[in-house]
């Protein structure tokens, strides 16, 4: 089955400590070994339960994000695309106020405000600070989802903007 190639993988085994190691030892050594085995087993159980809790929390967060995605995807797509084409950075920035949540800290800009390339860059960086993933950690699932999608759309549009100037 291995086509003549010798298998070099060994079974990896962690630390093995069992109560059989205490046989024939003094009472104090036996007690210490038993205590250490019990401590290791409880530590393993605790770590396993913490891992399961984290996995369950992640599954719940993913399910909540899926619900939000189903509900908000059409609105976000309408904001970022037109006739199947990605909108330009200037258009995205001028319409950003229509997609962001109340209290996001974003001040509406007009298309006239982003006609100059220097102002586009400045407004893009301000927008990035509002929706950057590091800045949206404490928000609810819906706002995080919107911020993530807006950040991705702005980043892609900025790359296209920069390439268009070359």
């Amino acid at each position: 089955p291995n086509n003549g190639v010798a298998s070099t993988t060994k079974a990896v085994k962690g630390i093995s400590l069992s109560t059989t190691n205490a046989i024939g030892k003094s009472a104090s050594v036996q007690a210490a070994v038993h205590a250490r085995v019990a401590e290791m087993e409880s530590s393993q159980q605790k770590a396993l339960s913490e891992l399961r809790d984290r996995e369950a929390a992640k599954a719940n967060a993913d399910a909540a994000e899926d619900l939000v995605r189903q509900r908000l995807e059409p609105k976000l797509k309408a904001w970022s695309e037109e006739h199947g084409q990605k909108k330009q950075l200037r258009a995205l920035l001028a319409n950003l106020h229509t997609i962001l949540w109340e209290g996001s800290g974003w001040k509406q800009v007009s298309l006239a405000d982003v006609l100059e390339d220097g102002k586009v860059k400045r407004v893009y960086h301000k927008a990035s600070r509002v929706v950057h993933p590091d800045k949206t950690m404490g928000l609810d699932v819906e706002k995080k989802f919107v911020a993530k999608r807006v950040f991705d759309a702005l980043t892609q549009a900025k790359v296209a903007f920069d390439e268009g100037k070359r």
Side-chain angles (χ1 to χ4, degrees), residues 33-139:
V33 168
H34 286 290
R36 179 68 180 130
V37 168
E39 179 187 335
M40 279 181 58
E41 287 172 351
S42 79
S43 176
Q44 289 170 346
Q45 291 302 318
K46 180 181 174 195
L48 190 58
S49 72
E50 287 174 359
L51 177 65
R52 287 185 179 137
D53 290 346
R54 280 195 307 271
E55 288 173 348
K58 178 152 177 33
N60 289 342
D62 289 347
E65 186 176 334
D66 283 343
L67 290 173
V68 170
R69 177 181 294 114
Q70 290 171 0
R71 195 165 41 83
L72 293 178
E73 192 70 38
K75 183 179 176 185
L76 287 163
K77 205 171 198 84
W79 170 77
S80 67
E81 295 179 12
E82 194 167 45
H83 307 298
Q85 297 285 325
K86 301 272 186 206
K87 287 186 181 176
Q88 292 182 356
L89 183 58
R90 286 180 172 97
L92 293 178
L93 292 170
N95 292 318
L96 189 57
H97 66 281
T98 63
I99 200 79
L100 290 182
W101 57 95
E102 288 290 323
S104 65
W106 177 252
K107 293 183 182 122
Q108 180 178 349
V109 295
S110 70
L111 202 50
D113 292 336
V114 288
L115 288 178
E116 296 175 30
D117 288 352
K119 286 187 177 180
V120 170
K121 279 185 171 180
R122 225 172 295 131
V123 173
Y124 164 77
H125 286 292
K126 285 181 183 178
S128 293
R129 282 196 301 267
V130 171
V131 295
H132 193 278
D134 290 343
K135 301 287 186 182
T136 58
M137 293 303 254
L139 298 176

Side-chain angles (χ1 to χ4, degrees), residues 2 5 7 10 50 67 87 99 105 118 134 141 144 153 165:
N2 62 7
V5 178
S7 176
K10 293 182 184 176
E50 287 174 359
L67 290 173
K87 287 186 181 176
I99 200 79
D134 290 343
V141 176
K144 266 191 207 176
K165 289 196 323 183

Side-chain angles (χ1 to χ4, degrees), residues 127-159:
S128 293
R129 282 196 301 267
V130 171
V131 295
H132 193 278
D134 290 343
K135 301 287 186 182
T136 58
M137 293 303 254
L139 298 176
D140 62 54
V141 176
E142 185 173 318
K143 291 174 184 171
K144 266 191 207 176
F145 179 77
V146 169
K148 183 169 86 172
R149 287 300 172 95
V150 167
F151 183 77
D152 291 344
L154 289 175
T155 303
Q156 290 171 3
K158 177 71 164 81
V159 168

Side-chain angles (χ1 to χ4, degrees), residues 5-19:
V5 178
S7 176
T8 58
T9 58
K10 293 182 184 176
V12 177
K13 186 175 183 183
I15 296 173
S16 174
L17 184 64
S18 71
T19 54

